[in-house]
């Protein structure tokens, strides 16, 4: 028995030494051309992910007019999408830790594309609801995989900005351009092709196009070195590191001369890290997952309620459908500024500080927005401020998710926290819709502010992670509040 224990100790020591070397190699790199291309690839996926999430809010009034459905049924379409996003994110996280981040990213795009096509062709509400469920499966895994991938590609110095930067295109430009995209398709495009009451179908149809990215992913995107090392795939790890260091991506089938960062003989003594999903329920990962889930619930539930209901609320206030979508787009300008601010702050300011400011700012601006909702000027100003803080929050959470879980369960941890938190978008929009029908606007924003206040308390239990390598954070067992 002692010999077995000694062997296990030796294996553990080998793995830790190799992880430390990997951190050193990656942190010695600049943010090369390869990093930038990979950033653009993953970010493009996030952009279309956010665009797809916003579609129901865009087409809500038109769909109500075409099919005669209620505001609650519109909200249910969004809730269904986010419910299956939760399931898809959990399942994708499990599989990504076993089979690779890149593999799951590719599968998620196929699923999402198939769902978008079925949405465009849906003949009735029931089948549209089923198609939105399929879209959710793909979207839930895609975003979690993208966050995990970018964090594992990046040197420590650039990690926060790189992961947060994805949300400039996603939560920032995606949320800003989604209403403009809807105006273009429902307006000029619908008139050009005489779409009539079927104009909303084209909003979904054009969102099938991102599936073309799959071919690029499969051909050029390497698996992350950190995942490959954790699975004992030394040759592939060396190749991936070589591509990143040299700043070039080549087809997967092309032979290259890999730099030997790790001796291939080491794999003989290197045990693959065991993946125990139950580990997420142990300290300290459990408390971190719970805190991240609470913050995600408040952020995504509150923001989705606003995005889904705002065009409908404005129409009830007497504005036209196209006008209400346009005003929503103006409010979304705050999203871009929030994402940019989070990307800059991610490099220089502690995560806990930024999260605290974002949560308190969002809660206060939500109260102001709900109570001062009157003139169009106030709607646009406070709506923009609220979106600024919401995206500052969600973008910083992007950076925080992968930093608090070890490599062996990172994708599952990110998927679990983000996906279970997505229940906020399942529960809050229908509740907000019912509240609006029964009591008006103000109680909706009071509800959102209460959840944001609870999320602020949860954020204080999290460790600080800025400036530490992922390998160092793997060993961060305590609940340090530094």
């Amino acid at each position: 028995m002692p010999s077995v224990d000694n062997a296990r100790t030796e294996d553990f020591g080998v793995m830790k030494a190799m992880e430390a070397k990997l951190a050193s190699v990656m942190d010695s790199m600049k943010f090369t051309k390869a990093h930038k291309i990979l950033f653009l690839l993953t970010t493009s996926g996030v952009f279309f992910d956010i665009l797809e999430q916003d579609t129901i809010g865009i087409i809500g009034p038109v769909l109500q007019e075409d099919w005669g459905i209620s505001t609650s049924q519109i909200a249910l379409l969004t809730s269904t999408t986010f419910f299956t996003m939760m399931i898809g994110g959990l399942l994708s996280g499990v599989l990504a830790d076993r089979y690779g981040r890149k593999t799951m990213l590719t599968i998620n795009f196929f699923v999402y594309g198939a769902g978008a096509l079925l949405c465009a062709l849906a003949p009735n509400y029931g089948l549209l609801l089923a198609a939105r469920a399929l879209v959710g499966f793909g979207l839930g895994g895609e975003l979690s995989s993208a966050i995990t991938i970018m964090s594992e590609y990046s040197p420590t110095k650039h990690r926060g900005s790189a992961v947060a930067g994805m949300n400039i295109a996603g939560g920032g430009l995606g949320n800003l351009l989604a209403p403009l995209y809807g105006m273009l398709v429902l307006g000029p495009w619908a008139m050009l092709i005489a779409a009539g009451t079927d104009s909303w179908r084209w909003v979904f149809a054009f969102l099938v196009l991102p599936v073309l990215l799959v071919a690029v992913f499969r051909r050029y995107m390497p698996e992350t070195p950190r995942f490959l090392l954790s699975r004992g795939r030394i040759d592939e790890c060396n190749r991936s590191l070589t591509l990143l260091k040299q700043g070039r991506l080549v087809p997967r089938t092309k032979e290259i001369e890999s730099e030997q960062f790790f001796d291939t003989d080491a794999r003989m003594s290197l045990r693959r890290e065991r993946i125990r999903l139950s580990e997420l329920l142990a300290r300290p990962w459990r408390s971190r997952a719970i805190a991240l889930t609470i913050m995600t619930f408040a952020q995504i539930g509150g923001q989705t309620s606003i995005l889904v209901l705002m065009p409908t609320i404005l129409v009830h206030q007497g504005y036209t459908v196209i006008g209400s979508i346009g005003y929503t787009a103006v409010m979304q300008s705050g999203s871009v500024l929030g994402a940019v601010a989070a990307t800059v702050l991610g490099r220089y300011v502690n995560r806990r500080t930024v999260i605290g400011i974002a949560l308190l700012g969002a809660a206060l601006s939500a109260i102001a927005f709900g109570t001062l909702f009157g003139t169009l000027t106030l709607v646009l100003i406070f709506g923009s401020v609220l979106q600024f803080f919401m995206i500052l929050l969600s973008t910083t959470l992007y950076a925080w998710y992968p930093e608090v879980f070890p490599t062996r369960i990172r994708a599952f941890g990110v998927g679990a926290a983000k996906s279970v938190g997505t229940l906020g978008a399942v529960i809050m929009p229908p509740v907000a819709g019912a509240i609006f029908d029964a009591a008006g606007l103000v109680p909706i924003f009071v509800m959102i502010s209460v959840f944001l206040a609870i999320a602020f308390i949860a954020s204080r239990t999290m460790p600080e992670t800025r400036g530490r390598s992922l390998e160092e954070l793997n060993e961060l067992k305590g609940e340090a509040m530094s």
Side-chain angles (χ1 to χ4, degrees), residues 454-475:
I454 294 171
F456 176 82
I457 296 172
S459 72
R460 302 302 90 188
T461 68
M462 291 284 289
E464 185 51 57
T465 57
R466 186 181 67 86
R468 290 165 162 164
S469 72
L470 292 179
E471 286 68 32
E472 179 186 357
L473 291 170
N474 280 1
E475 302 306 312

Side-chain angles (χ1 to χ4, degrees), residues 411-480:
F412 180 53
V414 172
K418 192 174 188 316
S419 300
V420 177
T422 299
L423 279 172
V426 177
I427 296 170
M428 289 177 69
V431 172
I435 290 174
F436 177 71
D437 290 338
L441 189 65
V442 174
I444 294 176
F445 291 93
V446 171
M447 175 188 71
I448 292 172
S449 298
V450 169
F451 278 111
L452 289 168
I454 294 171
F456 176 82
I457 296 172
S459 72
R460 302 302 90 188
T461 68
M462 291 284 289
E464 185 51 57
T465 57
R466 186 181 67 86
R468 290 165 162 164
S469 72
L470 292 179
E471 286 68 32
E472 179 186 357
L473 291 170
N474 280 1
E475 302 306 312
L476 187 62
K477 299 291 186 180
E479 297 293 334

Side-chain angles (χ1 to χ4, degrees), residues 81-94 136-137 139-145 147 289 292-294 296-297 300 401 411-426:
T81 305
F82 280 95
F83 179 74
T84 54
M85 279 180 67
M86 178 189 71
I87 299 173
L90 287 169
L91 181 60
S92 180
V94 172
F137 275 113
L139 292 180
E142 187 275 326
L143 189 52
S144 297
S145 296
I147 291 171
L292 286 172
T293 299
I294 292 171
T296 303
F297 184 100
I300 201 168
Y401 287 131
F412 180 53
V414 172
K418 192 174 188 316
S419 300
V420 177
T422 299
L423 279 172
V426 177

Side-chain angles (χ1 to χ4, degrees), residues 138-328:
L139 292 180
E142 187 275 326
L143 189 52
S144 297
S145 296
I147 291 171
T148 303
I149 281 176
M150 204 62 236
S151 71
E152 292 188 349
Y153 279 143
S154 301
T156 299
K157 183 171 65 173
H158 301 283
R159 187 182 65 236
S161 295
V163 177
M166 291 192 300
N167 213 28
I168 294 179
L173 288 175
N175 281 328
L176 173 65
L177 295 180
L180 299 179
Y181 165 68
M183 290 174 66
L184 178 63
V185 176
L186 297 176
W189 176 258
M191 293 175 61
L192 179 65
I193 64 170
T197 57
D198 282 336
S199 59
W200 60 269
R201 296 184 185 276
W202 287 96
V203 175
F204 293 120
F206 285 121
L207 292 178
V208 179
L209 296 177
V211 174
L212 298 176
L213 285 170
V214 169
V216 181
F217 286 161
R218 289 181 58 81
R219 183 169 172 79
Y220 290 100
M221 180 180 280
E223 184 55 82
T224 71
R226 288 180 162 106
F227 171 78
L228 294 170
L229 181 64
S230 74
R231 307 304 288 160
R233 292 156 60 176
I234 303 299
D235 290 331
E236 295 173 78
C237 181
N238 284 333
R239 185 181 193 276
S240 183
L241 284 170
T242 300
L243 293 175
L244 292 175
K245 183 178 180 180
Q246 293 180 356
R248 63 193 184 102
L249 300 180
V250 299
R252 185 165 52 92
T253 55
K254 182 178 179 180
E255 292 294 331
I256 65 168
E257 185 175 345
S258 298
E259 190 172 338
Q260 296 301 296
F261 297 97
F262 298 102
D263 187 347
T264 53
D265 290 339
R267 63 187 166 199
M268 301 300 294
S269 61
L270 181 65
R271 293 178 183 267
R272 295 194 302 180
E273 286 200 86
R274 293 187 63 185
I275 299 173
R276 301 183 182 91
L277 300 181
S278 59
E279 187 177 359
L280 192 63
L281 301 178
R283 283 181 52 87
W285 323 124
R286 177 184 62 215
S287 60
R288 298 177 188 180
I290 291 172
L292 286 172
T293 299
I294 292 171
M295 287 183 276
T296 303
F297 184 100
Q299 180 272 319
I300 201 168
Q303 188 177 24
T304 303
S305 298
I306 295 168
L307 291 176
V308 170
L309 296 178
M310 191 51 60
T312 301
I313 290 171
L314 289 170
V315 168
H316 278 276
Q317 296 290 322
Y319 299 102
T320 66
V321 171
I322 297 297
S324 68
I325 295 175
Y327 297 140
T328 303

